[in-house]
mmCIF file of all heavy atoms in Angstrom:
data_model
loop_
_atom_site.group_PDB
_atom_site.id
_atom_site.type_symbol
_atom_site.label_atom_id
_atom_site.label_comp_id
_atom_site.label_asym_id
_atom_site.label_seq_id
_atom_site.Cartn_x
_atom_site.Cartn_y
_atom_site.Cartn_z
ATOM 1 N N GLN A 130 60.749 81.640 124.111
ATOM 2 C CA GLN A 130 60.239 81.284 125.440
ATOM 3 C C GLN A 130 59.124 82.259 125.804
ATOM 4 O O GLN A 130 59.314 83.472 125.702
ATOM 5 C CB GLN A 130 61.358 81.397 126.479
ATOM 6 C CG GLN A 130 62.572 80.565 126.205
ATOM 7 C CD GLN A 130 62.486 79.198 126.866
ATOM 8 O OE1 GLN A 130 61.748 79.002 127.809
ATOM 9 N NE2 GLN A 130 63.251 78.260 126.356
ATOM 10 N N LEU A 131 57.974 81.707 126.233
ATOM 11 C CA LEU A 131 56.841 82.526 126.639
ATOM 12 C C LEU A 131 56.268 82.016 127.951
ATOM 13 O O LEU A 131 56.411 80.834 128.277
ATOM 14 C CB LEU A 131 55.727 82.480 125.583
ATOM 15 C CG LEU A 131 56.033 82.967 124.182
ATOM 16 C CD1 LEU A 131 54.842 82.725 123.273
ATOM 17 C CD2 LEU A 131 56.408 84.436 124.189
ATOM 18 N N THR A 132 55.595 82.893 128.676
ATOM 19 C CA THR A 132 54.805 82.453 129.814
ATOM 20 C C THR A 132 53.402 82.167 129.299
ATOM 21 O O THR A 132 53.010 82.624 128.222
ATOM 22 C CB THR A 132 54.747 83.519 130.918
ATOM 23 O OG1 THR A 132 54.140 84.707 130.388
ATOM 24 C CG2 THR A 132 56.125 83.835 131.463
ATOM 25 N N SER A 133 52.636 81.413 130.074
ATOM 26 C CA SER A 133 51.293 81.046 129.650
ATOM 27 C C SER A 133 50.322 81.193 130.816
ATOM 28 O O SER A 133 50.613 80.735 131.924
ATOM 29 C CB SER A 133 51.291 79.601 129.140
ATOM 30 O OG SER A 133 50.005 79.240 128.686
ATOM 31 N N GLY A 134 49.192 81.844 130.552
ATOM 32 C CA GLY A 134 48.194 82.024 131.599
ATOM 33 C C GLY A 134 48.746 82.864 132.736
ATOM 34 O O GLY A 134 49.412 83.872 132.530
ATOM 35 N N LEU A 135 48.503 82.427 133.962
ATOM 36 C CA LEU A 135 48.972 83.159 135.140
ATOM 37 C C LEU A 135 50.354 82.723 135.595
ATOM 38 O O LEU A 135 50.909 83.280 136.539
ATOM 39 C CB LEU A 135 47.965 82.985 136.291
ATOM 40 C CG LEU A 135 46.550 83.483 135.994
ATOM 41 C CD1 LEU A 135 45.613 83.169 137.151
ATOM 42 C CD2 LEU A 135 46.552 84.976 135.691
ATOM 43 N N SER A 136 50.918 81.728 134.926
ATOM 44 C CA SER A 136 52.232 81.217 135.296
ATOM 45 C C SER A 136 53.326 82.235 134.980
ATOM 46 O O SER A 136 53.257 82.959 133.982
ATOM 47 C CB SER A 136 52.519 79.910 134.542
ATOM 48 O OG SER A 136 53.848 79.484 134.778
ATOM 49 N N THR A 137 54.351 82.261 135.814
ATOM 50 C CA THR A 137 55.515 83.116 135.558
ATOM 51 C C THR A 137 56.678 82.304 134.988
ATOM 52 O O THR A 137 57.707 82.861 134.645
ATOM 53 C CB THR A 137 55.974 83.819 136.853
ATOM 54 O OG1 THR A 137 56.257 82.822 137.842
ATOM 55 C CG2 THR A 137 54.913 84.778 137.360
ATOM 56 N N MET A 138 56.467 80.980 134.896
ATOM 57 C CA MET A 138 57.492 80.095 134.332
ATOM 58 C C MET A 138 57.431 80.154 132.805
ATOM 59 O O MET A 138 56.357 80.015 132.225
ATOM 60 C CB MET A 138 57.263 78.650 134.787
ATOM 61 C CG MET A 138 57.403 78.433 136.286
ATOM 62 S SD MET A 138 59.097 78.609 136.856
ATOM 63 C CE MET A 138 59.874 77.268 136.015
ATOM 64 N N GLU A 139 58.585 80.358 132.194
ATOM 65 C CA GLU A 139 58.625 80.381 130.733
ATOM 66 C C GLU A 139 58.675 78.961 130.183
ATOM 67 O O GLU A 139 59.322 78.086 130.765
ATOM 68 C CB GLU A 139 59.824 81.181 130.245
ATOM 69 C CG GLU A 139 59.680 82.663 130.485
ATOM 70 C CD GLU A 139 60.773 83.466 129.811
ATOM 71 O OE1 GLU A 139 61.854 82.902 129.511
ATOM 72 O OE2 GLU A 139 60.548 84.662 129.580
ATOM 73 N N GLU A 140 57.978 78.764 129.067
ATOM 74 C CA GLU A 140 57.996 77.492 128.345
ATOM 75 C C GLU A 140 58.523 77.742 126.940
ATOM 76 O O GLU A 140 58.274 78.797 126.356
ATOM 77 C CB GLU A 140 56.578 76.921 128.211
ATOM 78 C CG GLU A 140 55.917 76.507 129.483
ATOM 79 C CD GLU A 140 54.514 75.974 129.201
ATOM 80 O OE1 GLU A 140 54.376 75.050 128.371
ATOM 81 O OE2 GLU A 140 53.570 76.502 129.795
ATOM 82 N N GLU A 141 59.201 76.754 126.410
ATOM 83 C CA GLU A 141 59.703 76.888 125.045
ATOM 84 C C GLU A 141 58.600 76.542 124.052
ATOM 85 O O GLU A 141 57.919 75.523 124.186
ATOM 86 C CB GLU A 141 60.902 75.966 124.822
ATOM 87 C CG GLU A 141 61.525 76.161 123.458
ATOM 88 C CD GLU A 141 62.789 75.335 123.258
ATOM 89 O OE1 GLU A 141 63.306 74.787 124.249
ATOM 90 O OE2 GLU A 141 63.238 75.246 122.106
ATOM 91 N N VAL A 142 58.417 77.402 123.066
ATOM 92 C CA VAL A 142 57.463 77.157 121.996
ATOM 93 C C VAL A 142 58.183 76.318 120.942
ATOM 94 O O VAL A 142 59.285 76.685 120.511
ATOM 95 C CB VAL A 142 56.951 78.477 121.382
ATOM 96 C CG1 VAL A 142 55.955 78.204 120.268
ATOM 97 C CG2 VAL A 142 56.340 79.369 122.461
ATOM 98 N N PRO A 143 57.597 75.191 120.522
ATOM 99 C CA PRO A 143 58.263 74.359 119.516
ATOM 100 C C PRO A 143 58.539 75.143 118.224
ATOM 101 O O PRO A 143 57.704 75.929 117.780
ATOM 102 C CB PRO A 143 57.261 73.233 119.259
ATOM 103 C CG PRO A 143 56.392 73.206 120.463
ATOM 104 C CD PRO A 143 56.333 74.621 120.966
ATOM 105 N N ARG A 144 59.691 74.911 117.667
ATOM 106 C CA ARG A 144 60.089 75.574 116.417
ATOM 107 C C ARG A 144 60.114 74.549 115.295
ATOM 108 O O ARG A 144 60.594 73.434 115.482
ATOM 109 C CB ARG A 144 61.477 76.194 116.582
ATOM 110 C CG ARG A 144 61.975 76.891 115.340
ATOM 111 C CD ARG A 144 63.323 77.524 115.588
ATOM 112 N NE ARG A 144 63.918 77.983 114.343
ATOM 113 C CZ ARG A 144 65.162 78.375 114.225
ATOM 114 N NH1 ARG A 144 65.968 78.390 115.277
ATOM 115 N NH2 ARG A 144 65.639 78.768 113.059
ATOM 116 N N ILE A 145 59.600 74.935 114.135
ATOM 117 C CA ILE A 145 59.670 74.052 112.970
ATOM 118 C C ILE A 145 60.541 74.706 111.899
ATOM 119 O O ILE A 145 60.720 75.923 111.885
ATOM 120 C CB ILE A 145 58.276 73.696 112.406
ATOM 121 C CG1 ILE A 145 57.530 74.938 111.899
ATOM 122 C CG2 ILE A 145 57.445 72.947 113.432
ATOM 123 C CD1 ILE A 145 56.245 74.618 111.168
ATOM 124 N N GLU A 146 61.065 73.868 111.042
ATOM 125 C CA GLU A 146 61.900 74.351 109.933
ATOM 126 C C GLU A 146 61.019 75.036 108.884
ATOM 127 O O GLU A 146 59.855 74.672 108.721
ATOM 128 C CB GLU A 146 62.631 73.181 109.263
ATOM 129 C CG GLU A 146 63.624 72.473 110.149
ATOM 130 C CD GLU A 146 64.975 73.162 110.229
ATOM 131 O OE1 GLU A 146 65.116 74.299 109.744
ATOM 132 O OE2 GLU A 146 65.893 72.546 110.788
ATOM 133 N N PRO A 147 61.560 75.998 108.140
ATOM 134 C CA PRO A 147 60.756 76.651 107.104
ATOM 135 C C PRO A 147 60.355 75.713 105.968
ATOM 136 O O PRO A 147 59.437 76.006 105.218
ATOM 137 C CB PRO A 147 61.659 77.778 106.597
ATOM 138 C CG PRO A 147 63.018 77.482 107.102
ATOM 139 C CD PRO A 147 62.892 76.581 108.272
ATOM 140 N N TYR A 148 61.016 74.560 105.878
ATOM 141 C CA TYR A 148 60.713 73.606 104.821
ATOM 142 C C TYR A 148 59.773 72.498 105.286
ATOM 143 O O TYR A 148 59.321 71.694 104.494
ATOM 144 C CB TYR A 148 62.013 72.987 104.291
ATOM 145 C CG TYR A 148 62.962 74.027 103.758
ATOM 146 C CD1 TYR A 148 64.035 74.475 104.522
ATOM 147 C CD2 TYR A 148 62.780 74.589 102.497
ATOM 148 C CE1 TYR A 148 64.900 75.448 104.041
ATOM 149 C CE2 TYR A 148 63.638 75.551 102.010
ATOM 150 C CZ TYR A 148 64.693 75.984 102.783
ATOM 151 O OH TYR A 148 65.542 76.944 102.313
ATOM 152 N N ASP A 149 59.495 72.437 106.613
ATOM 153 C CA ASP A 149 58.600 71.416 107.157
ATOM 154 C C ASP A 149 57.154 71.870 107.027
ATOM 155 O O ASP A 149 56.829 73.028 107.271
ATOM 156 C CB ASP A 149 58.892 71.166 108.642
ATOM 157 C CG ASP A 149 60.228 70.488 108.867
ATOM 158 O OD1 ASP A 149 60.794 69.936 107.904
ATOM 159 O OD2 ASP A 149 60.716 70.524 110.014
ATOM 160 N N SER A 150 56.287 70.932 106.686
ATOM 161 C CA SER A 150 54.875 71.292 106.591
ATOM 162 C C SER A 150 54.179 71.048 107.922
ATOM 163 O O SER A 150 54.639 70.266 108.751
ATOM 164 C CB SER A 150 54.197 70.492 105.477
ATOM 165 O OG SER A 150 54.185 69.127 105.784
#
Side-chain angles (χ1 to χ4, degrees):
Q130 303 268 339
L131 300 175
T132 61
S133 182
L135 300 176
S136 173
T137 57
M138 296 291 296
E139 289 189 338
E140 294 179 54
E141 185 175 348
V142 180
R144 180 178 170 191
I145 63 172
E146 296 278 10
Y148 301 100
D149 291 344
S150 65

